[in-house]
Amino acid sequence: MIEPLPLPGDPSELHLRIVYNDTLSDTSDADTLEEWSVEILHRCREHDSSGGPTASGACDAEDCPADIASDSTVGSMTFFRVHLDRGRSAYAAMEEASEDLYEIAQALLDPATGYYTDEVSELLEYSGSDLLVMDRVTLREEWRGRGLGVILAAEAIFRLMPGCRAVACSPGTPT
């Protein structure tokens, strides 16, 4: 049996930084498609002994003043929040944005109205009108293979989904 390599760090020290960059452009596309970037970060704590000698046992405490926390990037995710009720047709905006978004639009949205098709609408409870699309998830290779990508994606979705009626993604290759 092959033993998996140990993780490069404690997974309980992983956290997400979710950012929406608004270009403040007054276009109908900007009102229809919002791009959200999610950084997956690992908090590392290192002891900085360059400040001189410390009292014996002072470094055993969790709140040692010589401990420095830094974040290293473990991966990233990209989401699109699609507003079906503002700006231009969500179907047309997704078609122009990328092939992956266009495939999702073809599966879920009516090209004529830009809203969910009747078939899709019947399957979904009404909890808002927006559509959240998980576009890309990447993890550094040494962090893969332990289900962390799924757990972290679920955490990001949980934070981004309020007001969304559906969450969608297109299967892709692991990156």
Side-chain angles (χ1 to χ4, degrees), residues 38-61:
V38 180
E39 288 180 276
I40 304 167
L41 302 168
H42 183 257
R43 171 107 349 119
C44 303
R45 299 184 196 289
E46 296 178 9
H47 185 75
D48 180 16
S49 57
S50 65
T54 59
S56 174
C59 296
D60 293 338

Side-chain angles (χ1 to χ4, degrees), residues 36-85:
W36 290 80
S37 300
V38 180
E39 288 180 276
I40 304 167
L41 302 168
H42 183 257
R43 171 107 349 119
C44 303
R45 299 184 196 289
E46 296 178 9
H47 185 75
D48 180 16
S49 57
S50 65
T54 59
S56 174
C59 296
D60 293 338
E62 261 187 51
D63 57 351
C64 175
D67 281 349
I68 298 172
S70 63
D71 291 334
S72 64
T73 302
V74 170
S76 64
M77 297 181 253
T78 304
F79 289 86
F80 287 92
R81 186 179 188 106
V82 184
H83 296 280
L84 304 181
D85 58 356

Side-chain angles (χ1 to χ4, degrees), residues 9-134:
D10 181 356
S12 70
E13 293 290 337
L14 291 171
H15 60 280
L16 304 176
R17 180 179 298 144
I18 301 174
V19 177
Y20 169 64
N21 290 322
D22 191 344
T23 60
L24 300 179
S25 61
D26 196 21
T27 66
S28 55
D29 278 354
D31 287 342
T32 304
L33 286 177
E34 295 177 352
E35 184 174 346
W36 290 80
S37 300
V38 180
E39 288 180 276
I40 304 167
L41 302 168
H42 183 257
R43 171 107 349 119
C44 303
R45 299 184 196 289
E46 296 178 9
H47 185 75
D48 180 16
S49 57
S50 65
T54 59
S56 174
C59 296
D60 293 338
E62 261 187 51
D63 57 351
C64 175
D67 281 349
I68 298 172
S70 63
D71 291 334
S72 64
T73 302
V74 170
S76 64
M77 297 181 253
T78 304
F79 289 86
F80 287 92
R81 186 179 188 106
V82 184
H83 296 280
L84 304 181
D85 58 356
R86 54 170 121 144
R88 68 185 289 213
S89 163
Y91 186 95
M94 291 172 74
E95 179 181 20
E96 289 179 13
S98 76
E99 185 65 33
D100 290 338
L101 288 177
Y102 179 50
E103 286 178 13
I104 291 171
Q106 287 176 312
L108 300 176
L109 304 180
D110 181 334
T113 65
Y115 291 99
Y116 296 108
T117 64
D118 290 339
E119 296 82 22
V120 171
S121 253
E122 289 175 14
L123 296 171
L124 302 172
E125 288 186 35
Y126 189 81
S127 59
S129 61
D130 294 348
L131 168 64
L132 183 63
V133 178
M134 183 172 64

